[in-house]
Amino acid sequence: MLVELYRRFAGDYPKFFKMDTLCRLGFIAAEILLKGQTSQCEKEQMSIILANRSASIKNDTDYLATISEGNYYPSPSLFVYTLPNIVTGEIAIRHHIQGETSFYILESPEQLEPIIKSYFSSPLKGGPRGALTGWCECSKPNDFYAKMQIIYGTTD
Amino acid sequence: MEQLIEQLKSQIIEALNFEDLTPADIETDAPLFGEGLGLDSIDALELIMLMDREYGIKLADPKQGKQIFRSVRTMAEYIQEHRTK
């Protein structure tokens, strides 16, 4: 399904195929949200604040299988995705986003709201800015969910 | 040798998740890094693991890699000469 969505909404980024499922999910969600609706200037100043409940457990499990007893061939390409915040980096690279990126492990999406409020009320300077925020969850191969939005605020 | 080259191309596609490529898309003598397939350092590590897993070849000297991984043909030639399985 994610590959079909990639071909429909992107199709010009071969690195997509090297990503783990969590990154593919975040990539597609960001692609749909950002494509054609946000100027490059806005994107460059944007921050990324994502969260989920299961961290990178799906990829961690896949990697674990490559270092099991009797079959010790640790996969470098799986290892690089054994952190959930990698998805924020993949999105930032794709869209040339240069703001802060962060990824939180939370029990529920509601817990992300105060974090976002805190971000916009921080003493950082820079005027109006946007943040790509949301929930990006993948705990099993074909069980994933993403909901993202762009929130605008002022950091003055 | 030709059979090994074709097999190697399929293994590279699988190991590096080139879901959009077929063995016919990979030129036997094209550079694997930089131009050609445009592989990166993580891909290089995957190729080293592939050589170990599939052919029992352990590369101890990183300097060898530049020559061995120049193209699919140079990889196949090295494998044919050094394979233990």
Side-chain angles (χ1 to χ4, degrees), chain A residues 38 41-49 97 99-100 119-120 126-133 149-155:
Chain A
T38 313
C41 183
E42 274 181 48
K43 282 199 276 189
E44 285 179 9
Q45 294 178 43
M46 208 169 260
S47 300
I48 302 175
I49 308 169
I97 292 171
E100 302 88 343
Y119 169 73
F120 281 112
R129 297 176 61 169
L132 175 67
T133 71
Q149 57 195 329
I150 301 171
I151 296 177
Y152 291 95
T154 175
T155 55

Side-chain angles (χ1 to χ4, degrees), chain A residues 88-108:
Chain A
T88 63
E90 293 286 12
I91 294 169
I93 291 167
R94 165 65 165 171
H95 295 281
H96 306 287
I97 292 171
Q98 295 172 17
E100 302 88 343
T101 66
S102 55
F103 195 102
Y104 296 86
I105 315 300
L106 305 171
E107 280 295 318
S108 67

Side-chain angles (χ1 to χ4, degrees), chain A residues 52-72:
Chain A
N52 76 5
R53 191 178 181 202
S54 305
S56 53
I57 187 66
K58 193 263 173 189
N59 187 69
D60 295 350
T61 307
D62 291 344
Y63 177 70
L64 190 62
T66 73
I67 55 172
S68 58
E69 201 171 331
N71 183 36
Y72 194 81

Side-chain angles (χ1 to χ4, degrees), chain A residues 25-43:
Chain A
L25 176 65
F27 178 93
I28 293 294
E31 199 73 12
I32 294 169
L33 188 59
L34 293 172
K35 206 166 193 176
Q37 301 202 12
T38 313
S39 73
Q40 187 55 44
C41 183
E42 274 181 48
K43 282 199 276 189

Side-chain angles (χ1 to χ4, degrees), chain B residues 17-48:
Chain B
N17 286 326
F18 283 128
E19 294 180 26
D20 267 359
L21 293 185
T22 67
D25 296 322
I26 301 178
E27 290 180 40
T28 305
D29 294 300
L32 289 172
F33 294 86
E35 320 152 38
L37 281 184
L39 306 188
D40 60 24
S41 57
I42 299 297
D43 296 324
L45 294 172
E46 282 292 351
L47 293 182
I48 291 170

